[in-house]
Amino acid sequence: MKTSPQCAPCLLNRVLYEAELSTKDPELRFKAVQGGLEFLKENFYPGADAIGISTGIHRKAYTILGDKDPYRELKALSNKLAMEAVPFVRQQMAEAKPEERFRLAVLATIIGNTFDFGVQGHDVETGDFMAFYERMVEQGLDIDHTAEIRKLATNSDVLYLVDNCGEIYFDELLIEELKALGAKITLVVRGEYILTDVTMEDVVRMGLDKKVDRVLTTGSNAVGVSLEEAPAELLKALQTSSLIISKGMANYESLGDCGFKNMAYLLRAKCETVAAAIGARKGYNVAKLVQ
């Protein structure tokens, strides 16, 4: 996906946000934002790759701050809120018929996709998350291809690209539904810390690695998936999997134009640029299959 003019202020706002998470030193915060401005001046132009720009500016900010994981506390908070909600979601799913249960699991993962801190114009609900969850269930899926996704997942090889902490606990519910359909699942996590994204240590800590057939990494801390930095195993899986489930905006931004077949994009459209690209409106819950 290519950059739009709106990307520049959003990225700078996020650099400031993570600088404020990382340090109370106003001078260091200023240097981080200054570094972001310098990076954009050199690399931001019409047609530039959105994920390349996003990855580069965050890597520069992390280097200036001397902090490899400024979101650590927010990741822990996201996990806590999600774990508290999971029993309620399981009960809701237990009372549903199989196809509806699958749809509820997909919707839960998309509600979990709201755990995305620092996105300009998007607020994360950390006060009464359960009330927020119920409102989102009532909203439902604005784009709903869950029946087609479920059919394609049955007895197939599924590549599952995860996104944020917190969200991963809802992903576990969908993974259980996929396994019940006979799917073999390859889970893909980030290779290193970036934003609030899930890494190998997160899935090992929660035991999710035991519920899937294998776990791969993206090979780096690139935002989304960088095909240039991805390991050969992941590149092969992208080409050969029967179904690719892509969680979140960054995975969509990095893979949406790459021509992979049978891509199921599950996300909350949190910005106008991504929403327009995927054919939704900002604030939509999207479960879109592209074949």
Side-chain angles (χ1 to χ4, degrees):
M1 194 172 127
K2 305 304 179 186
T3 55
S4 71
Q6 298 96 311
C7 294
C10 184
L11 287 168
L12 284 173
N13 181 73
R14 198 156 195 178
V15 166
L16 175 59
Y17 184 85
E18 57 205 22
E20 290 172 341
L21 290 176
S22 178
T23 180
K24 294 182 179 179
D25 182 349
E27 184 176 344
L28 190 53
R29 290 176 176 178
F30 193 93
K31 286 180 179 178
V33 174
Q34 188 176 41
L37 285 166
E38 291 170 354
F39 180 86
L40 290 178
K41 183 178 179 180
E42 295 171 3
N43 298 280
F44 191 76
Y45 53 83
D49 175 58
I51 285 297
I53 296 294
S54 181
T55 296
I57 199 171
H58 289 304
R59 283 176 174 171
K60 185 160 188 173
Y62 281 29
T63 299
I64 291 169
L65 294 168
D67 190 346
K68 67 178 184 178
D69 190 18
Y71 292 84
R72 62 181 69 82
E73 292 183 7
L74 291 178
K75 287 157 67 175
L77 174 60
S78 299
N79 287 337
K80 176 179 179 294
L81 292 171
M83 284 189 287
E84 290 172 352
V86 162
F88 171 82
V89 182
R90 284 193 182 279
Q91 181 60 39
Q92 193 178 52
M93 290 173 58
E95 297 169 356
K97 294 180 180 179
E99 287 194 9
E100 177 63 12
R101 190 170 64 239
F102 186 86
R103 192 191 70 83
L104 285 170
V106 168
L107 179 56
T109 72
I110 293 169
I111 297 171
N113 188 238
T114 63
F115 286 121
D116 203 353
F117 295 86
V119 177
Q120 194 170 42
H122 169 69
D123 295 321
V124 180
E125 179 56 66
T126 59
D128 191 345
F129 180 74
M130 283 309 306
F132 170 77
Y133 184 91
E134 290 179 337
R135 291 197 303 273
M136 290 299 98
V137 169
E138 186 175 342
Q139 176 181 337
L141 294 167
D142 300 284
I143 297 177
D144 184 358
H145 294 169
T146 52
E148 297 94 325
I149 294 168
R150 184 174 184 270
K151 182 177 180 180
L152 199 57
T154 302
N155 298 320
S156 68
D157 292 318
V158 176
L159 186 69
Y160 197 117
L161 306 167
V162 300
D163 192 14
N164 299 316
C165 288
E167 179 180 352
I168 190 66
Y169 285 89
F170 300 114
D171 289 322
E172 183 175 17
L173 302 179
L174 180 53
I175 286 166
E176 290 171 1
E177 292 299 307
L178 291 167
K179 293 300 289 185
L181 293 171
K184 293 182 178 179
I185 302 174
T186 296
L187 199 70
V188 182
V189 301
R190 299 289 179 256
E192 299 174 35
Y193 299 133
I194 190 69
L195 307 175
T196 58
D197 291 3
V198 172
T199 62
M200 186 71 78
E201 67 184 70
D202 296 306
V203 297
V204 170
R205 183 178 59 249
M206 65 187 288
L208 187 55
D209 58 316
K210 303 294 194 301
K211 290 191 174 185
V212 298
D213 295 275
R214 62 173 175 167
V215 184
L216 302 178
T217 82
T218 60
S220 72
N221 71 338
V223 176
V225 179
S226 168
L227 298 180
E228 290 75 22
E229 298 174 357
E233 266 190 310
L234 175 54
L235 294 176
K236 182 178 179 181
L238 285 164
Q239 294 286 353
T240 60
S241 296
S242 305
L243 172 66
I244 302 170
I245 293 179
S246 171
K247 291 299 307 296
M249 295 199 305
N251 286 329
Y252 172 76
E253 290 175 78
S254 58
L255 298 176
D257 296 331
C258 294
F260 295 115
K261 303 299 183 183
N262 297 331
M263 297 281 291
Y265 298 105
L266 311 184
L267 58 88
R268 174 83 169 176
K270 298 181 285 284
C271 82
E272 297 285 358
T273 302
V274 170
I278 205 168
R281 294 181 183 177
K282 183 181 176 183
Y284 266 26
N285 297 324
V286 176
K288 183 173 183 177
L289 178 64
V290 177
Q291 293 181 282

